[in-house]
Amino acid sequence: MRTFTLSLVAGLMSTAAMASDYALPRTVTWTTYSTGSSGYNQAVAIGAALQADSDVNLRILPGNNDLSRLEPVRQGKVQFAANGVGTYIAQEGMLEFMDQSWGPQKVRVVLNNIGSGAGMALGVTKSACEKAGKPDCEGFQISDLKGMRVPEIKGGPSLNLNVEAFLAYGGLTWADVEVVEFGGFGASWKGMVEGSVDAAFAITSAGNAYEAESSPNGLYWPPIDPADTEGMDRLKAVAPYFVAIKATQGAAMPEEGQALTAYPYPILMAYDTQDADLVYNMTKAMADLYDAYKDGAPGAIGWALENQVYDWVVPFHEGSVRYLTEAGLWSDEAQKHNDTLLHRQDVLAKAWAELTEAKPEGDWKEAWAAKRREALTAEGLPAPF
């Protein structure tokens, strides 16, 4: 059974805890990133607020990757996931979701966390600045990475896509840099410290970034200028989930901040089939209890309603739309954009079903990539990847 049936939800709601005018089951379950991650710690803070306010128990199930976080939600064993950009990749049915057991998923945003002050960017060592003839890093641009060493993470398609997007901003491709393979995210940043690589991607507040900043090789975040429309178009053609921000928190951050990018993290999400009343009440609880958990974990301030982005790449759940409408935050423009995204998901689902029925010979992933691009292009929709 893929989701809670209406009868089960009704039964849960009948025994719900009620406070601050929201009603939730006695136990709500989220999957999150692994123990100790920013997303996990924020979920703990939110759980503490729920427990104190209404005796609701937030059960947290950490998962090491996007598949492990989404599988129990897809099966209906868990109601929500505090996920990352894998939410978008799941919608698109790409990278790790190209497998025949997955495909494009009809996922929905409940609320997203953005605006905590940290950026997500490609950092470079000060040694790289010296190589480019800019020893103090003043004026260093992503384009200056041409010919330098850039990490590629084995089994980390999402991380590699982020790096590719920043290279594209600078007018570069993987062919323009020296690719250095690493076994994981942490190893790539160890390479920054040890001097075996010249750049790496991270959130600016990551512990790895602080370690790199204090190392002999140092750390610098080349700016991403939102007024550089050609560069931003190249970046978003690879990774449309990035938004321009003024980063103010993190390692090697100047006092005046730095023009960088970010994407929502965590994203509280559910499947399209999740009960709208449950989603509405989860959204309301997150809003009502904000003051109780915003200081409970680093980055939790990003859940503020004023930080919500309504023109992102994944649609909001109807339950969240109901709450946001009541709060006076949902507009006709937001609804139009949401409808476009819902149509996109329908196009992807239809294309997947048609390809499955056709049973193509040869490599399934190649066949799906071609079918997906054909279907999206026919509808005048962007087809990244």
Side-chain angles (χ1 to χ4, degrees):
M1 183 173 62
R2 193 172 167 199
T3 60
F4 287 104
T5 63
L6 291 177
S7 60
L8 178 54
V9 171
L12 287 171
M13 289 300 185
S14 68
T15 59
M18 297 187 66
S20 302
D21 200 28
Y22 63 83
L24 286 171
R26 287 292 182 187
T27 298
V28 177
T29 307
W30 293 8
T31 60
T32 70
Y33 277 67
S34 56
T35 304
S37 67
S38 175
Y40 179 90
N41 292 339
Q42 289 177 38
V44 170
I46 292 164
L50 282 167
Q51 185 71 41
D53 185 66
S54 57
D55 201 28
V56 167
N57 175 42
L58 179 59
R59 184 171 176 239
I60 304 169
L61 301 179
N64 290 327
N65 55 53
D66 292 327
L67 298 180
S68 64
R69 282 187 290 274
L70 287 195
E71 180 60 26
V73 186
R74 179 170 70 152
Q75 291 180 5
K77 297 178 179 178
V78 170
Q79 298 113 316
F80 303 98
N83 204 28
V85 75
T87 306
Y88 166 72
I89 295 169
Q91 169 186 273
E92 299 297 308
M94 294 301 287
L95 302 180
E96 60 263 55
F97 293 96
M98 296 177 79
D99 188 87
Q100 284 182 269
S101 64
W102 279 93
Q105 305 292 298
K106 290 194 173 184
V107 291
R108 300 286 189 271
V109 171
V110 178
L111 283 178
N112 56 46
N113 180 321
I114 192 167
S116 62
M120 295 180 178
L122 193 65
V124 302
T125 63
K126 291 190 175 180
S127 301
C129 297
E130 293 174 0
K131 288 182 184 180
K134 301 169 182 177
D136 59 359
C137 290
E138 184 176 355
F140 187 96
Q141 301 292 327
I142 296 292
S143 56
D144 291 321
L145 282 172
K146 186 172 183 178
M148 295 194 194
R149 301 163 300 171
V150 175
E152 182 178 51
I153 310 302
K154 294 179 182 178
S158 299
L159 288 170
N160 295 332
L161 191 69
N162 292 334
V163 173
E164 183 180 341
F166 279 90
L167 292 176
Y169 172 85
L172 305 175
T173 70
W174 288 106
D176 296 311
V177 297
E178 180 184 341
V179 177
V180 182
E181 289 191 343
F182 289 93
F185 165 80
S188 70
W189 277 86
K190 185 176 181 181
M192 291 277 281
V193 172
E194 296 177 346
S196 60
V197 72
D198 297 302
F201 176 85
I203 185 169
T204 58
S205 58
N208 313 73
Y210 283 102
E211 183 180 1
E213 178 188 21
S214 62
S215 75
N217 285 311
L219 177 65
Y220 177 71
W221 305 103
I224 302 297
D225 183 4
D228 179 1
T229 54
E230 292 184 359
M232 291 301 296
D233 285 348
R234 290 193 300 268
L235 184 148
K236 290 197 172 189
V238 177
Y241 44 80
F242 279 109
V243 297
I245 69 161
K246 182 69 170 289
T248 57
Q249 294 183 9
M253 190 61 60
E255 287 186 14
E256 68 275 15
Q258 184 75 300
L260 294 175
T261 61
Y263 52 75
Y265 171 77
I267 302 160
L268 185 60
M269 55 139 291
Y271 270 74
D272 63 320
T273 45
Q274 185 56 269
D275 179 75
D277 287 339
L278 177 62
V279 174
Y280 169 86
N281 281 282
M282 188 74 255
T283 309
K284 185 168 178 52
M286 291 285 290
D288 288 355
L289 297 178
Y290 175 73
D291 286 338
Y293 65 75
K294 65 183 177 69
D295 298 320
I301 59 172
W303 292 106
L305 289 180
E306 58 265 29
N307 289 341
Q308 299 306 305
V309 178
Y310 303 116
D311 60 352
W312 199 54
V313 291
V314 177
F316 277 79
H317 195 283
E318 62 175 310
S320 293
V321 170
R322 189 202 310 170
Y323 174 78
L324 293 167
T325 300
E326 290 179 1
L329 299 171
W330 194 253
S331 65
D332 291 342
E333 184 179 358
Q335 187 60 53
K336 182 178 179 181
H337 181 74
N338 219 57
D339 289 342
T340 299
L341 294 175
L342 296 176
H343 173 61
R344 179 184 185 87
Q345 290 191 354
D346 288 340
V347 170
L348 290 169
K350 181 181 178 183
W352 183 268
E354 289 176 351
L355 187 66
T356 301
E357 185 176 356
K359 298 179 181 178
E361 296 181 359
D363 187 275
W364 170 266
K365 293 182 179 180
E366 289 182 3
W368 166 238
K371 177 70 174 179
R372 173 183 173 276
R373 180 170 294 276
E374 175 188 348
L376 291 172
T377 303
E379 292 292 318
L381 298 170
F385 300 99

